Amino acid sequence: MSLNMQARVHPPLGPARAAWLLVTRSFIVYKKNWKLFVTGFLEPVFFLFSIGIGVGRLIESFEVNGQAIPYAEFVAPGMLAVSAFNGALMDSTFNVFFKLKYDKLYDQMLATPLTTADIARGEIIWGQLRGSSYSAAFLLLMWALGMLHSWTAILALPAALLIGFAFSAVCMAATTWMTSWQDFDKITLLQLPLFLFSATFFPITAFDGGLRWVVEMTPLYRGVVLCRELTLGQVGWESAISVGYLVVMGLIGLFVVRRRLDTLLLT
């Protein structure tokens, strides 16, 4: 046997293969912690039954774009979007921070044929899958409660995937600038107003002037109104604006994540 054996060099994996490996790893890890997924699903369910159905008993009718609907059917699509938002945010902030700063998991991954772009795509895909799994279960609950009256409601699940993608990318990008667990107070400070002022529990017409314009520019509002238009069968040009908004948001976040991982892990 020759002493000058040539080392085997593995070429970089393709994007699809690399993403599949990272998603599979996350699935194996979280398979033992399935209770985390259950709690993530129950939160929007509690809001739906307590506010949508409970408070809805006090409201005789609720009108959306000239269509009279029960108040619970107004709240439910909003909670569908919020469930995708919460799932993506939790996985792309706390978990990514631990892997990056303490577990040093990404440094270990870069010792393999994986690249920083592969890590970014894999983590973002897993974050959006976690968020969309909540949304899929919630959408089935809405169907069981008779809250879906249009075939366009089927598109609410791809919409939830898009919401998860957008927030996973942006939240992971923000996490790369965090230096301690105290920085997550800033995430909570941003998460709460996004939730409360996303027109989930009341229509956007409740706001006037500049405040309404600010709310309409927030990403969670675009997700909420998109899901509501799809479940109520009121799809229009505003739906296309929401889709474009979320796509651009996700792509920008993905670009920033890759650049930040290059800075943190390769220099």
Side-chain angles (χ1 to χ4, degrees):
M1 183 180 296
S2 174
L3 296 178
N4 297 322
M5 296 181 62
Q6 187 176 15
R8 295 180 60 188
V9 178
H10 294 274
L13 299 174
R17 176 63 175 167
W20 172 253
L21 289 174
L22 287 170
V23 170
T24 302
R25 179 202 173 275
S26 296
F27 173 77
I28 293 173
V29 171
Y30 281 91
K31 184 169 62 174
K32 300 178 181 179
N33 299 316
W34 58 269
K35 294 180 181 178
L36 296 176
F37 283 81
V38 174
T39 56
F41 164 69
L42 289 178
E43 182 179 356
V45 173
F46 291 153
F47 273 106
L48 174 62
F49 280 93
S50 62
I51 298 180
I53 296 178
V55 177
R57 297 288 185 182
L58 307 176
I59 303 175
E60 294 184 1
S61 62
F62 203 83
E63 187 172 304
V64 180
N65 297 328
Q67 178 181 349
I69 61 172
Y71 180 65
E73 294 185 15
F74 176 84
V75 172
M79 295 312 305
L80 176 68
V82 170
S83 63
F85 162 65
N86 285 336
L89 182 143
M90 294 298 293
D91 205 88
S92 299
T93 53
F94 292 94
N95 293 336
V96 167
F97 181 77
F98 179 79
K99 295 174 186 177
L100 180 64
K101 299 294 185 180
Y102 293 92
D103 200 29
K104 302 297 181 180
L105 180 62
Y106 300 144
D107 296 89
Q108 301 170 42
M109 288 182 175
L110 290 178
T112 72
L114 293 173
T115 66
T116 54
D118 296 329
I119 294 173
R121 283 191 294 264
E123 290 290 0
I124 290 170
I125 290 174
W126 173 252
Q128 76 173 102
L129 286 177
R130 180 175 179 178
S132 62
S133 67
Y134 299 156
S135 299
F138 193 81
L139 192 62
L140 287 175
L141 177 64
M142 291 175 61
W143 173 77
L145 295 175
M147 295 181 176
L148 305 179
H149 307 292
S150 172
W151 69 268
T152 56
I154 300 174
L155 301 176
L157 185 55
L161 281 168
L162 180 58
I163 295 168
F165 165 67
F167 280 102
S168 289
V170 170
C171 290
M172 186 175 178
T175 302
T176 61
W177 273 284
M178 295 182 183
T179 58
S180 68
W181 292 108
Q182 283 70 32
D183 288 334
F184 283 93
D185 291 339
K186 301 172 185 176
I187 296 293
T188 304
L189 184 64
L190 183 63
Q191 179 185 12
L192 187 59
L194 280 178
F195 172 59
L196 294 178
F197 297 95
S198 60
T200 299
F201 302 110
F202 47 84
I204 190 65
T205 52
F207 301 109
D208 294 321
L211 181 58
R212 175 172 177 172
W213 182 84
V214 170
V215 172
E216 289 179 336
M217 291 297 294
T218 58
L220 186 55
Y221 170 79
R222 303 315 316 180
V224 167
V225 74
L226 177 61
C227 288
R228 184 170 291 136
E229 289 165 351
L230 291 171
T231 56
L232 296 179
Q234 298 180 350
V235 180
W237 63 270
E238 291 186 356
S239 305
I241 292 177
S242 298
V243 170
Y245 182 109
L246 295 170
V247 168
V248 172
M249 173 181 168
L251 292 176
I252 292 175
L254 179 60
F255 174 78
V256 173
V257 167
R258 181 178 178 180
R259 294 292 299 272
R260 287 290 298 161
L261 290 180
D262 285 344
T263 301
L264 294 173
L265 301 177
L266 299 180
T267 58

